[in-house]
Amino acid sequence: MRKNTIKFYRKVKNQYDFLYNEKRLRHDDVIEKLMDDFCISSITVYRIFRTELPNNEVENTAQLDLFAELSTPELSTQAA
């Protein structure tokens, strides 16, 4: 998924949370407001809700472990 698509989906989901949980609007009113604000169809809104977005964190922690081994003092002295 593209970075801009992820940003857009997050904006839509955050706006939904704000309108529904904080402004206390009804679900169908929130959907209509999102459709108007973002110029998207209701099908697109529901597709965004079903889509799981990746976290901002690193998903593959095994890669971090590889670099952690290189930063230990014992390994750096052995390499020299």
Side-chain angles (χ1 to χ4, degrees):
M1 189 178 293
R2 294 181 176 173
K3 289 182 182 180
N4 287 335
T5 304
I6 293 171
K7 286 181 184 179
F8 177 71
Y9 281 18
R10 284 204 174 118
K11 284 182 185 179
V12 173
K13 287 183 175 190
N14 290 339
Q15 185 67 14
Y16 176 84
D17 287 340
F18 174 74
L19 293 173
Y20 186 74
N21 294 326
E22 294 183 29
K23 293 288 186 173
R24 306 299 291 165
L25 296 177
R26 295 183 320 166
H27 175 76
D28 58 335
D29 292 337
V30 173
I31 299 299
E32 286 186 27
K33 180 108 172 86
L34 291 174
M35 289 169 49
D36 291 339
D37 290 349
F38 293 101
C39 299
I40 54 179
S41 68
S42 62
I43 296 170
T44 305
V45 172
Y46 287 115
R47 185 182 69 228
I48 291 171
F49 290 161
R50 287 191 310 268
T51 304
E52 289 187 31
L53 300 177
N55 294 335
N56 291 336
E57 301 171 3
V58 176
E59 292 180 4
N60 189 0
T61 56
Q63 292 177 351
L64 295 177
D65 294 337
L66 292 174
F67 295 111
E69 292 175 1
L70 295 176
S71 65
T72 58
E74 304 87 39
L75 292 177
S76 61
T77 57
Q78 291 175 355

